[in-house]
Amino acid sequence: MAISTVKWSSFLGPDSPVPHDMIFKVTESSSELDRKMHIHVNAHKFVLAAVSTEFKKLLYPEAQDDIVDQKLFHQSGKTEIEVTSSTVEAVQAMLQFVYDGEPQFPVDDAKQLTHTFHSLNLAYQYKIQGLVDLLESNISSFRLSAGNVKEVAQCAAQFGHLSQTSDDLLFRCLNFSYNQSTLTTLLALGKQCYKP
């Protein structure tokens, strides 16, 4: 069997044919429970290092000249990376992209948009350019409507620090809102002016 025919996504699950040698320890806040939850997501160092120079520097520092800032922990023989500014879903989506190469990022509503921005944040952090390109394209083509523009604008503002993509989306929201309110105002004026 050639390496190009391997179904890498089969290595993600708990029944991976090769044991995982690293863990993403994702810390999420639960507003309902008013506490933080720590969830582990397993992966393989070699696979991540093969697709990202940032992972290569982080996971194989002995092969690098420059020193990486992020703290790594070791737990039961596995390397652990702490993730505090994202979600479990975003880490899983990033890994699905890395292992499978398939775009798994539908963006049909504002909740998915938030998930997409979290994934984009990870793609920037770990320099996975193919994922950055895919997510920026999905965000740029997100459909605005009168029913979602406020929520989308809040989401874009929340992630405004990420990239020009979030700024562009926020601008589209403002432009859409302006056009909607202008149209509503003109219709109201038209109805007042042409009452029979």
Side-chain angles (χ1 to χ4, degrees):
M1 176 183 287
I3 198 165
S4 63
T5 61
V6 173
K7 185 171 168 76
W8 290 103
S9 59
S10 68
F11 288 77
L12 268 178
D15 299 328
S16 172
V18 175
H20 299 107
D21 58 357
M22 70 157 299
I23 299 169
F24 285 95
K25 182 180 176 186
V26 185
T27 303
E28 285 189 348
S29 296
S30 172
S31 56
E32 294 117 24
L33 302 174
D34 198 29
R35 67 178 193 163
K36 293 186 180 208
M37 300 177 343
H38 303 285
I39 299 152
H40 290 180
V41 181
N42 294 309
H44 300 89
K45 294 190 313 185
F46 172 76
V47 174
L48 295 172
V51 299
S52 161
T53 57
E54 197 63 24
F55 276 126
K56 183 178 176 187
K57 282 192 262 182
L58 184 64
L59 299 170
Y60 295 101
E62 64 277 3
Q64 307 300 316
D65 293 332
D66 46 343
I67 296 173
V68 178
D69 245 2
Q70 189 165 356
K71 293 180 184 174
L72 293 180
F73 302 93
H74 298 279
Q75 175 184 334
S76 62
K78 293 183 180 181
T79 302
E80 185 176 290
I81 296 177
E82 285 196 43
V83 179
T84 56
S85 61
S86 195
T87 64
V88 171
E89 291 82 10
V91 171
Q92 290 170 331
M94 174 189 69
L95 291 174
Q96 189 67 43
F97 179 84
V98 166
Y99 278 73
D100 210 14
E102 294 296 317
Q104 302 287 324
F105 296 92
V107 186
D108 300 323
D109 62 37
K111 179 158 177 48
Q112 290 172 329
L113 186 62
T114 300
H115 167 69
T116 301
F117 271 115
H118 278 292
S119 299
L120 180 60
N121 189 28
L122 290 173
Y124 278 129
Q125 182 177 352
Y126 296 114
K127 297 184 175 138
I128 306 170
Q129 191 58 49
L131 184 55
V132 167
D133 295 343
L134 173 68
L135 297 175
E136 285 184 344
S137 173
N138 286 357
I139 292 167
S140 295
S141 62
F142 186 82
R143 298 190 78 189
L144 295 174
S145 69
N148 73 10
V149 70
K150 182 179 176 183
E151 192 175 2
V152 171
Q154 289 170 336
C155 181
Q158 177 186 353
F159 292 96
H161 64 283
L162 270 185
S163 70
Q164 187 63 42
T165 306
S166 52
D167 292 343
D168 292 346
L169 181 59
L170 184 57
F171 180 76
R172 284 181 45 222
C173 289
L174 295 173
N175 193 30
F176 182 88
S177 296
Y178 174 78
N179 289 340
Q180 281 293 114
S181 75
T182 302
L183 182 59
T184 303
T185 302
L186 288 173
L187 286 172
L189 285 171
K191 286 179 182 177
Q192 285 177 355
C193 292
Y194 296 105
K195 283 187 179 179

